[in-house]
Amino acid sequence: MTINIQYFARLRDDVGRASDATAKPDTVHTAGDLWRHLHDSPPPPRLMVAINQRHARLDSPVADGDEVAFFPPVTGG
Amino acid sequence: MAVRLFSEPFDPWALVRERERELPLEKLGAISVFVGRMRDFNDDRAVQGLFLEHYPGMTKRELERIVMEAEARWPLDACEVAHRVGAVNPSETLVLVAVWSAHRIAARDACAEILERVKHEAPFWKRERLEDGNERWVETNTPGS
């Protein structure tokens, strides 16, 4: 089982790719942990996160098989 | 409730008229409509075009959730939300929110609330093409702008 990660908009440009996939390490419990694990840095300010296509928070738990999306503040409408 | 994403230009007034054909208008004293169009300027720069990125899978579901929560809060009889995705030119419609109710306050307040939540919660991101050909991401939707 893996966690599939997606990046959108400016964040995808900053990260340099649209997606990542990783097996969940034992040290990763939350979306914020997952960001730190993948990028070796704290989550950027105003980072938004969705888990399985629903809004979540950086302290929301993640599990194997989840789809986790990171994105900047939304600007629709 | 109808929530739609359009990758091509759409006529918001035609959507409203189409919907009204199936509604009991004699019972609906109020309709509140918001139409948002693309401007050819932003932050003191001329803007030639826009690309509206979205999150396939999540965006439509988010719009549906926003409308459902409005329907739970106000006595609404019908809602129509439409949003563009992809490449957009100035003067084209970006968003339609139309709300029908027996009374004006429910229609007006629900329309305003749905629009604000679309702007701050639905996963869309605007990338502008400026007059010099450069592109920039719109960083934030500020309240009231």
mmCIF file of all heavy atoms in Angstrom, chain B residues 11 14 82 141:
data_model
loop_
_atom_site.group_PDB
_atom_site.id
_atom_site.type_symbol
_atom_site.label_atom_id
_atom_site.label_comp_id
_atom_site.label_asym_id
_atom_site.label_seq_id
_atom_site.Cartn_x
_atom_site.Cartn_y
_atom_site.Cartn_z
ATOM 1 N N ASP B 11 -23.322 30.519 -21.226
ATOM 2 C CA ASP B 11 -24.192 31.678 -21.065
ATOM 3 C C ASP B 11 -24.959 31.519 -19.750
ATOM 4 O O ASP B 11 -25.859 30.679 -19.655
ATOM 5 C CB ASP B 11 -25.158 31.750 -22.250
ATOM 6 C CG ASP B 11 -26.141 32.902 -22.114
ATOM 7 O OD1 ASP B 11 -26.162 33.574 -21.050
ATOM 8 O OD2 ASP B 11 -26.902 33.124 -23.064
ATOM 9 N N ALA B 14 -28.770 31.897 -19.989
ATOM 10 C CA ALA B 14 -29.452 30.747 -20.608
ATOM 11 C C ALA B 14 -29.640 29.633 -19.578
ATOM 12 O O ALA B 14 -30.685 28.973 -19.547
ATOM 13 C CB ALA B 14 -28.648 30.234 -21.804
ATOM 14 N N ALA B 82 -22.467 27.215 -11.527
ATOM 15 C CA ALA B 82 -21.662 26.834 -12.689
ATOM 16 C C ALA B 82 -20.328 27.555 -12.602
ATOM 17 O O ALA B 82 -20.264 28.708 -12.164
ATOM 18 C CB ALA B 82 -22.380 27.188 -13.987
ATOM 19 N N ASN B 141 -7.565 35.140 -2.903
ATOM 20 C CA ASN B 141 -8.830 35.857 -3.052
ATOM 21 C C ASN B 141 -9.069 36.591 -1.744
ATOM 22 O O ASN B 141 -9.313 35.972 -0.721
ATOM 23 C CB ASN B 141 -9.994 34.874 -3.248
ATOM 24 C CG ASN B 141 -10.255 34.570 -4.699
ATOM 25 O OD1 ASN B 141 -9.843 35.314 -5.581
ATOM 26 N ND2 ASN B 141 -10.962 33.481 -4.946
#
